[in-house]
Amino acid sequence: MTKLRLGVNVDHVATVRNARGGPHPDPVRAALMAAEAGADGITAHLREDRRHISDADIERLMAELSVPLNLEMAATEEMLVIALRHKPHAVCIVPEKREERTTEGGLDVAAGHNHLAPFVRRLSDAGIRVSMFIEAEARQLDASKSLGAPVVELHTGAYCEVPSGPERERHLLRLQTAAAHAVKIGLECHAGHGLGYDTVKPVAAIATLAELNIGHFLVGEAIFTGFTQTIQRMRALMDEARS
Ligand code: PXP
């Protein structure tokens, strides 16, 4: 089985920094530490309201990282200009509502085809690998494929939010079915949102997934055991699930 990549999302290091307005803790330092601890890539979401990651963070991540940067962004003209200026390795297009606490659900690619098409085209033309953050539904996968996005990321939030039991198993089955469909139609399939030590293994065991993106849990748990140890434990759980 191929190795499952771990993308570490450093948004919430910036959330803590921004609570006081100074430079500490520095999300770029966290990103460098994450790469050292075994992260295969770094993910950062530049939100319209800049509530965590800032434009200057993206600038520094691009300059200082030796692993790929996956920039999460809404499909807006402002974000497109920023992405085309920095040319990160990857862009993940996410839905964004100003009032939400986090990305609450996947992008409706099927309904948003006409709006999204020029974003996918212009990012792809610039050599940026585009992914669509979607719910685990065949019609969203098919719509992503028809837009020409080479990658999809399945939203694991619903799976993580319910307690373990039959409902979580149903969500897991949806993720498994969607990941298999993605690969069948020629898409690289990623997953993320809400994953922690208790929820990661069944998702990591899905053989057709290539990458998980994890942030909030890692940053929170790092308070107790340190960022390096937290990332290494997550990496080990992912590897165990694959072995
Ligand atoms: N993947 C995507 C597309 C996201 O928007 C997020 C949250 O920013 C994550 C993964 C990581 O989610 P979490 O911080 O809950 O681990």
Side-chain angles (χ1 to χ4, degrees):
M1 216 185 282
T2 52
K3 192 182 172 218
L4 181 61
R5 293 195 302 270
L6 170 61
V8 171
N9 181 316
V10 293
D11 290 352
H12 297 299
V13 178
T15 302
V16 177
R17 175 196 60 192
N18 295 359
R20 285 294 169 96
H24 182 79
D26 177 11
V28 180
R29 180 179 168 200
L32 295 171
M33 210 171 181
E36 192 67 27
D40 301 290
I42 296 298
T43 293
H45 184 177
L46 186 67
R47 294 187 77 105
E48 185 192 13
D49 63 9
R50 309 299 198 269
R51 71 177 71 160
H52 38 57
I53 293 295
S54 68
D55 298 68
D57 293 331
I58 298 296
E59 187 111 29
R60 287 182 54 223
L61 286 167
M62 284 302 298
E64 296 181 38
L65 277 181
S66 54
V67 294
L69 177 67
N70 173 37
L71 172 67
E72 291 177 1
M73 57 170 242
T76 66
E77 197 54 38
E78 182 203 11
M79 289 300 153
L80 181 64
V81 168
I82 292 169
L84 293 176
R85 188 166 70 240
H86 290 296
K87 294 198 176 59
H89 167 74
V91 158
C92 181
I93 301 183
V94 300
E96 198 176 297
K97 295 198 269 312
R98 215 175 289 199
E99 65 280 12
E100 71 190 355
R101 255 184 302 174
T102 180
T103 313
E104 292 165 356
L107 196 63
D108 192 347
V109 183
H113 186 282
N114 292 348
H115 173 69
L116 293 167
F119 288 90
V120 175
R121 198 189 56 247
R122 289 170 71 188
L123 291 164
S124 301
D125 285 352
I128 299 168
R129 193 202 64 189
V130 182
S131 72
M132 314 301 273
F133 188 44
I134 56 169
E135 293 297 324
E137 293 167 6
R139 68 188 191 103
Q140 299 297 350
L141 291 157
D142 294 339
S144 302
K145 175 72 183 175
S146 84
L147 269 184
V151 179
V152 287
E153 180 164 332
L154 305 179
H155 199 306
T156 52
Y159 157 82
C160 293
E161 274 157 25
V162 297
S164 62
E167 207 187 334
R168 189 185 282 174
E169 289 306 312
R170 270 195 298 278
H171 284 297
L172 182 62
L173 184 60
R174 280 180 63 218
L175 292 165
Q176 289 164 335
T177 306
H181 183 69
V183 169
K184 201 168 109 204
I185 62 174
L187 294 169
E188 181 172 312
C189 194
H190 303 175
H193 206 281
L195 292 167
Y197 292 156
D198 291 348
T199 47
V200 75
K201 283 180 91 171
V203 176
I206 301 173
T208 45
L209 286 179
E211 181 175 308
L212 299 183
N213 283 297
I214 310 180
H216 183 264
F217 176 85
L218 294 173
V219 173
E221 190 64 14
I223 292 168
F224 305 105
T225 58
F227 207 36
T228 297
Q229 194 181 314
T230 305
I231 290 164
Q232 285 172 346
R233 171 120 191 259
M234 187 62 81
R235 176 77 263 168
L237 291 172
M238 289 164 56
D239 292 342
E240 269 172 40
R242 285 265 157 142
S243 66

